[in-house]
Amino acid sequence: MKRTLIVALLVLVCGGALLFAQGQAEGASTKLWPRTQPVVTVGFGAGGGTDTAVRPVIAKMEEYLGETINVVNMEGASSAVAAQHVLNRPADGYSMFATGSAPISGFRVMGTANSSWTDWVSWHPFVGPAALIVRADSPMKTFDDVVAYLKSKKVNFGISGFGVGPHVLVEAILGIAGVSSPNYVTGGSCRNAAVALIAGDVDVAMSTFSSVVDFVKAGQLRAIAVTTPSTYQVDETLKIDSITAVLPGSENIPQLSETWPIFMRRDVPQNYIDKLTEAFLWAIEQPEIVNYAKKQALDIAGYYGESADRFLSFSEAGYAWTLYDAGLASKSPAEFNIPKLSNWNWDVEKAKISK
């Protein structure tokens, strides 16, 4: 009787262990990343426009997926260093990349990376304007004041980096206004450019508005104009002029407003793209993300799939030729068959996608 009881207990213990192991194996098999935690490499410093745009969305995607996604920052060459790092990793779905839509649009013409939107699938949570900013105590109170000051001498002008959205936008704006390029001072992020402005290291700056909106609301900085198609109502008390209202001929500038996508190599297994799309669409509908966008003066973009490809193709046409026409690019967009905006055609451009 005693021996029978011991045998029965052993059977129960072994059976329980087998069921536990089977459960563990099934749990691992349902994970999107069973081997280790994936990594999103942000191409700019912590606290900058790209970093602050993608982290909240990634956190909600983690919640949906029930898995941890690590986020690291890797600065260099306006995010080209981070892009190349991810491209050098295996196409196994464990490595992602985040930057602005502007920097990736300039990689090839700037000679920083041999990569373009055709190499990636992307998810764009937000779109937002850039702002021309000065210190709150600056004598420059209007756009015309800024133009006059820039024409008077070589001014120290703060930007996050060369070839990024605010840099290209200000070059386009200055070109229309008939102002030569100032002495650019790069800060590594839009936030740092604003901090340099507050510290008096630069006289004027151009930053993504989302990364400096708190400084503007706190009265430390003054936003002279934003790259929106109409007056920008931040809240009940704060209203900022559109660049189109203060600069004749700038009607197309708002079309180049930036997004901050999360990228994955286009040649990864399709299940990663499908599951991340599912998580992304859920994340951007959550109240925390909607409220975050409102607080940061951003709009929900929600681009993915073909809409994301189309947007990036159009963005590349605008940014690449703006950089080249301003004398800032090392190579002509024509070398890469990048059309001018006037010749851009999505049916032609989407044929460039190899997958």
Side-chain angles (χ1 to χ4, degrees):
M1 179 70 180
K2 184 185 257 186
R3 181 178 295 174
T4 303
L5 182 60
I6 292 171
V7 170
L9 285 171
L10 284 171
V11 169
L12 285 172
V13 169
C14 291
L18 182 62
L19 287 171
F20 177 77
Q22 184 179 352
Q24 290 286 89
E26 287 176 356
S29 68
T30 60
K31 293 180 71 173
L32 186 58
W33 299 286
R35 220 171 53 238
T36 186
Q37 294 172 349
V39 176
V40 176
T41 302
V42 178
F44 293 96
T50 301
D51 187 70
T52 56
V54 300
R55 283 183 184 268
V57 178
I58 290 170
K60 297 307 290 185
M61 291 172 72
E62 286 180 314
E63 184 180 325
Y64 180 86
L65 295 167
E67 299 188 54
T68 299
I69 302 173
N70 292 323
V71 182
V72 299
N73 298 87
M74 184 181 291
E75 298 180 47
S78 295
S79 77
V81 171
Q84 201 58 56
H85 168 77
V86 174
L87 284 172
N88 289 340
R89 305 286 297 171
D92 57 4
Y94 282 77
S95 298
M96 289 168 276
F97 163 56
T99 187
S101 55
I104 194 171
S105 298
F107 281 173
R108 293 190 290 176
V109 296
M110 295 294 284
T112 52
N114 187 25
S115 177
S116 76
W117 63 273
T118 60
D119 298 322
W120 310 87
V121 291
S122 58
W123 299 269
H124 305 235
F126 308 116
V127 60
L132 181 66
I133 50 178
V134 297
R135 286 185 299 279
D137 60 358
S138 170
M140 292 177 278
K141 302 193 185 310
T142 67
F143 180 76
D144 287 342
D145 291 339
V146 174
V147 169
Y149 186 65
L150 291 172
K151 285 182 175 180
S152 70
K153 60 179 181 178
K154 205 71 169 176
V155 174
N156 287 336
F157 197 110
I159 55 172
S160 57
F162 291 105
V164 301
H167 173 225
V168 173
L169 284 165
V170 79
E171 276 294 318
I173 289 167
L174 295 182
I176 296 169
V179 180
S180 59
S181 296
N183 179 43
Y184 287 116
V185 178
T186 60
S189 73
C190 285
R191 185 76 173 181
N192 290 345
V195 170
L197 180 59
I198 293 170
D201 297 329
V202 297
D203 301 305
V204 191
M206 190 81 165
S207 293
T208 53
F209 189 56
S210 62
S211 62
V212 301
V213 62
D214 55 333
F215 290 145
V216 175
K217 286 182 175 180
Q220 293 174 280
L221 296 176
R222 179 186 302 124
I224 298 294
V226 288
T227 58
T228 53
S230 57
T231 301
Y232 201 58
Q233 190 80 44
V234 180
D235 54 31
E236 294 80 5
T237 60
L238 182 58
K239 187 166 62 173
I240 306 170
D241 285 335
S242 160
I243 190 63
T244 63
V246 297
L247 179 62
S250 63
E251 293 76 19
N252 290 329
I253 294 293
Q255 295 182 51
L256 298 175
S257 287
E258 201 169 6
T259 64
W260 297 272
I262 302 162
F263 292 90
M264 181 173 273
R265 286 178 52 164
R266 199 177 288 273
D267 54 351
V268 301
Q270 186 63 37
N271 66 300
Y272 288 100
I273 296 170
D274 293 343
K275 199 65 181 179
L276 284 167
T277 298
E278 191 179 301
F280 168 76
L281 292 175
W282 179 84
I284 61 175
E285 290 182 346
Q286 300 314 299
E288 299 94 325
I289 298 302
V290 174
N291 292 334
Y292 176 81
K294 185 176 180 181
K295 179 183 175 183
Q296 293 299 116
L298 295 167
D299 293 318
I300 301 290
Y303 307 149
Y304 71 97
E306 184 171 350
S307 66
D309 289 338
R310 190 180 193 280
F311 173 81
L312 286 173
S313 171
F314 183 83
S315 176
E316 183 181 49
Y319 276 94
W321 280 102
T322 299
L323 286 166
Y324 182 71
D325 291 341
L328 299 169
S330 60
K331 299 179 181 180
S332 168
E335 290 184 36
F336 307 102
N337 198 25
I338 299 171
K340 291 187 175 183
L341 287 179
S342 57
N343 298 322
W344 183 86
N345 181 299
W346 176 233
D347 287 334
V348 173
E349 295 307 299
K350 67 182 178 182
K352 297 176 181 178
I353 301 172
S354 59
K355 180 183 175 183

